Amino acid sequence: MIHMIVAMNNTRTIGHQNTIPFHNPEDLAHFKAKTLHHICVMGRVTYESIPVKLNQRTIWCLTSSLDYKPKHDNVVVFHDQQKLLEAVLSCTEDIFICGGLQIYRLFFPYVKTLWLSRINDEFDGDVKLDRFEDHMTLVNTVQYNTFVCEEYQR
Ligand SMILES: NC(=O)c1ccc[n+]([C@@H]2O[C@H](COP(=O)([O-])OP(=O)(O)OC[C@H]3O[C@@H](n4cnc5c(N)ncnc54)[C@H](OP(=O)(O)O)[C@@H]3O)[C@@H](O)[C@H]2O)c1
């Protein structure tokens, strides 16, 4: 099944200057718990923005650079959006679309479950999530100490 996972603040900001402008350790733990042992699909910008190796996960990273060398041994590099899409659609495991915006836009039409962390923060960043709410149904809400996780289904 194809999942999407994203953290968004009150201005719909998800990123700023190639990083996530809000720091929420509890949400990072939630991201880890959800994605552990699964395939994570991400753009090259997001992959490079993560300062640590995402252990016990396989990263499928999209880049146009043909000689791209990722920093970690758990990364499979794709250069062709269509080949990546075919791999995602033919995968029988749970797979997580992890951003950033370009990757969310490419894969959103195929996402079945969306895990949205709503971060109560007002920062106005340069990368904002498109409205998806008209295409998905909110089926569950979990209140954590520092954020709210909403689960949407198509
Ligand atoms: N809040 C959250 O949950 C969350 C999650 C993830 C990311 N983010 C944030 O989102 C921002 C990054 O998003 P972004 O949209 O700028 O970048 P991105 O989606 O992470 O990566 C974009 C890159 O993907 C590659 N790419 C995209 N389409 C391609 C195609 N058709 N063919 C080949 N390569 C392709 C290109 O890499 P090359 O340039 O190498 O060709 C492109 O520069 C950052 O601020 C990040 O922190 C936030």
Side-chain angles (χ1 to χ4, degrees):
M1 183 161 76
I2 303 173
H3 304 252
M4 169 171 154
I5 188 162
V6 59
M8 176 179 89
N9 78 0
N10 299 338
T11 70
R12 299 193 75 84
T13 291
I14 63 167
H16 188 66
Q17 296 181 348
N18 293 343
T19 184
I20 297 180
F22 33 83
H23 180 63
N24 186 311
E26 192 180 25
D27 179 52
L28 295 178
H30 158 79
F31 175 85
K32 182 174 182 180
K34 281 282 173 228
T35 58
L36 211 60
H37 308 301
H38 299 305
I39 295 166
C40 294
V41 177
M42 59 186 73
R44 192 267 310 161
V45 173
T46 292
Y47 169 64
E48 289 192 351
S49 76
I50 300 172
V52 294
K53 182 179 179 185
L54 295 179
N55 286 315
Q56 301 177 72
R57 281 153 283 187
T58 300
I59 311 302
W60 289 0
C61 177
L62 184 62
T63 176
S64 59
S65 301
L66 296 179
D67 58 353
Y68 187 66
K69 298 274 182 293
K71 294 165 286 184
H72 308 109
D73 58 9
N74 62 339
V75 179
V76 179
V77 176
F78 288 79
H79 304 288
D80 182 332
Q81 162 191 331
Q82 196 56 36
K83 289 225 165 66
L84 176 56
L85 178 60
E86 283 164 14
V88 167
L89 293 178
S90 62
C91 184
T92 53
E93 299 170 37
D94 280 329
I95 193 157
F96 282 77
I97 307 301
C98 297
L101 186 61
Q102 291 183 35
I103 271 33
Y104 290 140
R105 284 180 172 164
L106 281 176
F107 288 95
F108 178 71
Y110 310 97
V111 168
K112 293 285 179 281
T113 304
L114 188 157
W115 304 95
L116 174 71
S117 297
R118 285 199 185 268
I119 310 289
N120 190 13
D121 168 271
E122 301 299 331
F123 183 81
D124 196 18
D126 59 18
V127 183
K128 297 191 179 196
L129 191 64
D130 303 321
R131 273 197 64 78
F132 64 85
E133 288 87 339
D134 301 336
H135 303 280
M136 317 254 332
T137 305
L138 178 63
V139 296
N140 196 27
T141 301
V142 178
Q143 175 74 58
Y144 287 80
N145 288 330
T146 56
F147 72 98
V148 174
C149 179
E150 295 178 348
E151 177 188 352
Y152 291 81
Q153 297 280 350
R154 193 179 296 277

